[in-house]
Amino acid sequence: MTANGKGTWPAPAVWTGKIYSGGWCDSEGGTRQVIEPATGHPLAEVGVAAPADVARAGARAARAAGGWAAAAPSERIEVLLRASSVLQEHSETVRDWIVRESAGVPAKGDYEIAAALGQLTHAVGLASLPPGEVLAPQSPGATSLAWRVPLGVVGVINPWNAPLLFAMRALAPALALGNAVLLKPDPLTPVSGGVLVAQLFEEAGLPDGVLHVLPGGAETGQAVATDPHVDMVSFTGSVEAGRAVARTAGEGLKRVSLELGGKNAIIVLEDADIEAAAAAGAASTFGYQGQACVAAGRHVVHADLIEAYTDALVSQANAMRMGDPRTEHVTIGPVISERQAVRIERIVDESVAVGARLRTGGRRDGLFYPPTVLDRVERGMPVFTEEIFGPVAPVVPFRGAAEAVEIANDTAYGLTAAVHSGSVPKATAVAERLHTGMVHINDLSAKDAANAPFGGMGISGNGSRIGGTASLEQFTQWRWMTIPKAA
């Protein structure tokens, strides 16, 4: 169905109040309403997976994993291609859910769908890669082989801010490489991050038991991370929750992939194009209300340009219209929850109280927090140190390239960055000194690609990467076999 309750896909009678585990079924954890942030109205009702539901799903996934791993790559590829076709066929409905459930503007929904399709397409390539290599034998005439095999069952714990994309980013390569999956969508976005994903793969003909969708909160996530049938956990979310997942999964010596937060810098050198840099800065900070791990959380600007840059950033912010993204033509929607709105407000207010200057924005209306620009920001202020996850742009001055690097690296995070300059060699020289897993020249900080190794340094993760051939490392393990020379 569409998010307004009309239509036929996916049929509400099938999934309402249910989880997906061996088909759509009732759960022991009861049900939960899904609320539309822009209106506060209920959108849907989903099942909540209790630990007992997770245990049954884990056992069922483990039984199904062997057959899926043994399937020909062409069979797995056909499922992925059919899932892509189903997603394209129902893209308008999927976008409607993303807009209403995650409070993104329609362009954000279109981006998620396109990116999810990209993940499926790239996963098709992974399924057909050579699985290993022939090694030099230790004795004449012997054979020595090494090849990658699936892990078995992968647990995917998904965030609310890009629910479809992040589900597919782990799910598509994990399935392509022969694993079964337990997917736990965030309780704020269980439909676009879970129900729709299950429906896509069910229609695509994924064998029974290979995918389980288990909505729920922390208790459900803990059950996924501790289940003895789960061989690896892929988590995207906050540092605090990531640490908890790592501790829990670590008790079982499971592989853990953590993609966590960021306090990302856009550095504007003295020869940068101010308007272009400000446009990139605005898009990186204000896009989807700043609710992205790759959002720009600090604008580090050469002192000679800071006034002009800040004025341009304020103009960009003031040109953005805020409102209900489903019923109005807007570029800024509400933030996801009251808790998040209060957090943003607190960080801004505390920073202004100790000397930051509010140039625009800074006053919320319920869940609607306007694009906000602060200058006279100094190190140690909350807007400098904390991941805001809101549409707030702190502007910090520097004098030389060395100082710019020092300021940008003054954080425990290390996810992404952008450097703007009229000289690519100069920008590259700065970029190479940044403690980040990703960096972009004369572009946004907020970038993603299916064929790129996505991940960060510091507390932005645990050194793992996902995307491109890095997904091979995440979702498979090596097996070595030797065969002696025949007598």
Side-chain angles (χ1 to χ4, degrees):
M1 74 173 191
T2 58
N4 59 13
K6 299 178 181 179
T8 59
W9 191 92
V14 172
W15 62 265
T16 296
K18 303 274 199 307
I19 62 174
Y20 185 76
S21 186
W24 297 101
C25 59
D26 293 328
S27 64
E28 292 192 23
T31 64
R32 177 189 177 101
Q33 281 194 328
V34 183
I35 304 300
E36 182 177 17
T39 65
H41 298 155
L43 279 176
E45 185 178 9
V46 299
V48 174
D53 298 309
V54 174
R56 282 190 291 271
R60 190 181 187 103
R63 290 194 297 271
W68 181 240
S74 60
E75 181 180 339
R76 299 200 294 268
I77 287 170
E78 287 172 4
V79 170
L80 294 168
L81 291 175
R82 287 196 296 267
S84 180
S85 295
V86 175
L87 178 53
Q88 292 178 73
E89 179 184 354
H90 297 289
S91 60
E92 290 188 15
T93 299
V94 174
R95 179 180 61 187
D96 197 36
W97 272 109
I98 292 171
V99 168
R100 298 194 70 181
E101 193 178 37
S102 72
V105 298
K108 187 256 190 184
D110 289 336
Y111 167 77
E112 272 205 63
I113 292 167
L117 289 169
Q119 295 292 340
L120 286 165
T121 300
H122 191 270
V124 165
L126 289 177
S128 58
L129 287 176
E133 55 194 51
V134 178
L135 307 177
Q138 293 175 299
S139 59
T143 301
S144 182
L145 306 170
W147 71 98
R148 294 180 179 275
V149 296
L151 295 173
V153 179
V154 173
V156 178
I157 302 176
N158 208 28
W160 52 260
N161 57 333
L164 177 67
L165 168 57
F166 289 150
M168 206 64 74
R169 188 175 68 180
L171 184 67
L175 291 176
L177 294 167
N179 299 283
V181 175
L182 304 187
L183 171 62
K184 192 207 82 69
D186 191 275
L188 295 175
T189 53
V191 179
S192 50
V195 170
L196 299 184
V197 175
Q199 188 74 14
L200 291 174
F201 281 101
E202 186 176 45
E203 291 194 21
L206 185 68
D208 182 55
V210 175
L211 172 63
H212 303 257
V213 176
L214 308 166
E219 184 182 39
T220 308
Q222 183 177 31
V224 170
T226 57
D227 188 271
H229 299 100
V230 171
D231 300 284
M232 180 257 190
V233 179
S234 175
F235 173 84
T236 302
S238 70
V239 172
E240 180 182 2
R243 284 180 170 140
V245 167
R247 285 193 296 268
T248 301
E251 287 294 322
L253 301 180
K254 303 176 190 294
R255 182 181 297 183
V256 181
S257 171
L258 302 178
E259 197 276 283
L260 308 177
K263 188 62 180 176
N264 312 303
I266 284 190
I267 298 176
V268 183
L269 301 178
E270 69 276 10
D271 60 347
D273 181 323
I274 293 175
E275 293 298 328
S284 295
T285 295
F286 305 138
Y288 186 44
Q289 297 81 263
Q291 298 175 126
C293 58
V294 290
R298 293 167 300 158
H299 297 245
V300 183
V301 184
H302 193 278
D304 291 346
L305 303 183
I306 197 162
E307 184 175 350
Y309 178 87
T310 305
D311 287 346
L313 195 59
V314 168
S315 295
Q316 291 274 345
N318 291 340
M320 295 181 172
R321 186 181 174 200
M322 187 167 63
D324 184 338
R326 188 170 182 270
T327 61
E328 304 173 66
H329 185 67
V330 299
T331 49
I332 296 287
V335 297
I336 194 69
S337 66
E338 178 72 14
R339 177 183 177 184
Q340 184 60 16
V342 169
R343 171 182 167 80
I344 298 167
E345 187 174 51
R346 189 265 303 167
I347 291 172
V348 171
D349 289 350
E350 288 181 359
S351 299
V352 170
V354 294
R357 181 172 65 169
L358 185 65
R359 292 291 305 273
T360 191
R363 291 293 175 265
R364 74 179 176 106
D365 179 10
L367 299 189
F368 291 89
Y369 200 97
T372 297
V373 179
L374 297 165
D375 65 4
R376 299 179 183 172
V377 172
E378 299 177 1
R379 297 195 225 185
M381 291 181 176
V383 288
F384 183 92
T385 59
E386 297 187 44
E387 185 183 26
I388 304 169
F389 235 63
V392 178
V395 184
V396 187
F398 71 88
R399 275 292 175 191
E403 185 183 12
V405 171
E406 181 186 357
I407 292 170
N409 286 341
D410 188 10
T411 176
Y413 295 97
L415 188 56
T416 187
V419 183
H420 284 257
S421 171
S423 166
V424 170
K426 182 185 294 186
T428 302
V430 170
E432 289 174 343
R433 297 165 64 190
L434 300 178
H435 187 69
T436 60
M438 303 173 286
V439 62
H440 308 291
I441 305 299
N442 291 334
D443 208 335
L444 282 64
S445 68
K447 291 179 71 67
D448 188 20
N451 65 344
F454 190 99
M457 301 178 180
I459 65 170
S460 289
N462 61 344
S464 59
R465 298 291 185 271
I466 192 169
T469 55
S471 292
L472 290 170
E473 294 291 340
Q474 291 299 331
F475 301 117
T476 65
Q477 56 190 330
W478 283 102
R479 173 174 288 158
W480 179 38
M481 178 183 289
T482 62
I483 306 171
K485 180 182 179 180

